[in-house]
Amino acid sequence: MKELFNDYVQSLETYIMFQIKQETQRLTPELTAKGRKPISLSMGAPVEAPPEFVTKKLIEAVNEDGLHTYTVPKGESYFVEAVATRMKNRFGIDLDTKTEICSLIGSKEGIANMIRALVTPTTDVTKQDIILIPDPGYASYKEMVKVSGGLAYGVPLKPENNFMPNLDEVAANLEKDGYSMKKVKALIINYPNNPLGAVANLDYMKHTVEFCKKHNILLMSDAAYIDMVFEGQPKAPSVFEVEGAKDVAVEFYSFSKPYSMTGWRIGWVCGNKDAVGILAKLKSTIDTGIYKPIQKAAAAILNSKEGDEYIVEANKRFERKQKVVVDGFKELGWPMDKINPPKATFYLWLPIPPKYKTSKEFTDAVLQKSGIVLVPGSGFGENGEGWVRMSIVASEEQMHEVIKRLKEDGFYFE
């Protein structure tokens, strides 16, 4: 039956995290038997329970009358109003609840459907619409563009440009590569960044807005990690703190990372009313929105003291665990002073030891010998080769165990 399915779907690769999970499951009995039960540092997902406050609100909402019926893709009034209040309190941004906010079944779904709405599908690479994506960047961006029948063009994020590249240079390189800026439909940015942990400043956000206005393209800001900045650091800016950003931009938010609500599948997109409206119209043919009790609970946590306190404490835990790992890798010979570990997210982006030819060779060796599950940088784009991503989501005790195993098994930076 495979021949019945379109070329876009048939060309998809299995998401790298699922590939890694399958291999880990295969090796688990053998690793456990030799005292190296796998410690997973691959998935970008918190392992702590969500705030008790939000689970109680969910239980209350489940028992309310009238909340088990169909909802609408744009979101119930109590949810979109809570979003508007959050954006006003957090960033000083005014949003029209009727036209500038749409609920999402997680930000991943929203980004994928926005790309789908932008791209006119074709397998002819000379005619494909182009989406500019970060490289290295979230592995699903490229596949989202591919399955929509478009072309993903990487925007290089490198230490030498502080992971904030000059977009005019990107446009010039795109033209040199034989493509046309006239075919570009959107630019995706992601700060704080997965897999790098890098945070952009407001000046750079202004640069992205000006670039998109100049070329008449949509700016898609993936802000899934925007609340995950360590204590004492400048807050990560919203693109809408740039004057006039709503003319060209939308921003995607998630409950998954800041509140450990990964399985709840709820988020929102806000900004340009045309883009938000078109996405809502597309979603009305695809889904029927998010379960009302989940919307009720999410609305309650957004502007609560309990929600803000949870984020602060979670960030403190990630910072403590990062210190354990950074100190450990320094003892293993990694040049941590030069690497300048990020002050946001739960990711650590590390170079592989010189004796390994590829990032996958290194992560395979660490998994097979030590049972430590990492992600090869090559899974995040061409510029990720030679690097590895570690998600510092396991317990502090497990982070100590990771360093212990690496030392015992001889994984030094040499």
Side-chain angles (χ1 to χ4, degrees):
M1 300 294 286
K2 282 180 65 177
E3 68 277 4
L4 299 177
F5 294 90
N6 67 50
D7 295 336
Y8 313 120
V9 173
Q10 293 209 43
S11 68
L12 282 177
E13 297 176 13
T14 301
Y15 184 39
I16 188 169
M17 301 308 163
F18 297 144
Q19 295 178 35
I20 292 169
K21 188 172 183 178
Q22 289 170 358
E23 180 64 6
T24 302
Q25 288 176 338
R26 186 183 72 81
L27 291 171
T28 293
E30 174 188 336
L31 288 166
T32 303
K34 66 177 186 178
R36 290 292 186 259
K37 184 177 179 180
I39 299 175
S40 180
L41 305 178
S42 56
M43 289 291 283
V47 296
E48 290 85 3
E52 185 179 3
F53 176 87
V54 78
T55 55
K56 285 183 176 178
K57 290 294 182 182
L58 176 63
I59 292 168
E60 290 173 11
V62 165
N63 291 313
E64 276 190 45
D65 291 335
L67 292 190
H68 296 275
T69 56
Y70 283 125
T71 181
V72 291
K74 287 200 73 173
E76 294 296 317
S77 60
Y78 43 79
F79 178 74
V80 294
E81 286 166 7
V83 166
T85 300
R86 176 68 172 174
M87 295 298 289
K88 179 67 173 179
N89 292 342
R90 180 80 166 77
F91 303 109
I93 299 161
D94 291 309
L95 292 170
D96 186 329
T97 56
K98 293 183 175 62
T99 62
E100 295 179 338
I101 303 171
C102 181
S103 66
L104 301 174
I105 309 174
S107 57
K108 181 176 183 177
E109 170 265 312
I111 294 168
N113 276 320
M114 186 68 81
I115 292 170
R116 183 179 182 182
L118 288 164
V119 170
T120 300
T122 176
T123 54
D124 185 345
V125 294
T126 65
K127 297 179 180 178
Q128 284 180 324
D129 290 327
I130 299 169
I131 307 292
L132 303 177
I133 66 170
D135 180 3
Y138 179 41
S140 286
Y141 293 147
K142 184 177 180 180
E143 300 303 304
M144 289 173 180
V145 177
K146 184 191 293 185
V147 78
S148 298
L151 174 73
Y153 186 89
V155 175
L157 309 186
K158 297 182 178 181
E160 51 265 37
N161 60 31
N162 292 317
F163 309 115
M164 291 182 281
N166 184 305
L167 296 171
D168 294 321
E169 292 177 4
V170 172
N173 289 332
L174 181 142
E175 297 277 356
K176 285 179 186 177
D177 289 340
Y179 302 108
S180 171
M181 279 300 298
K182 292 179 181 178
K183 295 299 292 180
V184 176
K185 289 292 190 77
L187 163 69
I188 298 176
I189 60 172
N190 171 218
Y191 297 102
N193 179 270
N194 169 20
L196 307 170
V199 182
N201 55 36
L202 194 56
D203 284 342
Y204 189 71
M205 288 295 187
K206 184 178 179 182
H207 172 59
T208 65
V209 171
E210 290 172 348
F211 176 81
C212 290
K213 285 188 175 183
K214 176 182 176 181
H215 294 283
N216 191 33
I217 62 179
L218 182 67
L219 176 56
M220 298 170 58
S221 172
D222 181 355
Y225 301 90
I226 202 165
D227 287 317
M228 300 186 68
V229 177
F230 295 166
E231 193 173 26
Q233 298 299 311
K235 73 173 186 178
S238 162
V239 72
F240 297 120
E241 292 179 79
V242 177
E243 188 176 354
K246 278 190 199 176
D247 294 342
V248 292
V250 288
E251 198 156 60
F252 297 83
Y253 285 82
S254 171
F255 287 76
S256 295
K257 315 302 181 182
Y259 302 111
S260 304
M261 292 165 60
T262 53
W264 294 48
R265 306 319 302 142
I266 184 167
W268 75 87
V269 62
C270 57
N272 182 272
K273 65 180 181 180
D274 292 333
V276 170
I278 288 171
L279 179 61
K281 187 181 293 185
L282 173 63
K283 282 170 58 61
S284 72
T285 71
I286 296 172
D287 66 71
T288 46
I290 302 156
Y291 185 44
K292 289 179 184 178
I294 291 178
Q295 291 190 61
K296 272 264 187 176
I301 195 71
L302 261 187
N303 300 297
S304 66
K305 174 176 66 72
E306 291 84 353
D308 289 344
E309 289 173 350
Y310 182 90
I311 289 171
V312 169
E313 291 305 312
N315 288 343
K316 286 179 180 178
R317 286 195 299 272
F318 291 130
E319 187 174 14
R320 287 196 301 269
K321 288 188 281 190
Q322 187 196 77
K323 186 178 187 307
V324 169
V325 176
V326 167
D327 290 347
F329 274 98
K330 190 179 291 187
E331 293 170 4
L332 287 159
W334 261 260
M336 300 309 294
D337 294 334
K338 294 181 181 178
I339 290 169
N340 192 23
K343 302 299 182 184
T345 75
F346 42 54
Y347 296 124
L348 195 58
W349 186 245
L350 298 168
I352 62 173
K355 69 179 181 180
Y356 294 93
K357 294 179 180 177
T358 68
S359 53
K360 189 173 187 306
E361 181 186 358
F362 174 64
T363 56
D364 283 350
V366 170
L367 173 60
Q368 292 163 10
K369 191 170 185 178
S370 300
I372 297 165
V373 190
L374 306 173
V375 187
S378 56
F380 301 100
E382 292 180 10
N383 288 298
E385 185 52 85
W387 297 79
V388 61
R389 190 192 79 176
M390 171 183 285
S391 299
I392 308 171
V393 292
S395 68
E396 196 167 332
E397 181 183 2
Q398 286 177 308
M399 301 317 302
H400 282 289
E401 174 67 14
V402 165
I403 300 301
K404 176 174 173 286
R405 289 187 192 181
L406 291 174
K407 288 178 179 178
E408 290 176 352
D409 297 342
F411 287 106
Y412 287 85
F413 194 82
E414 57 187 19

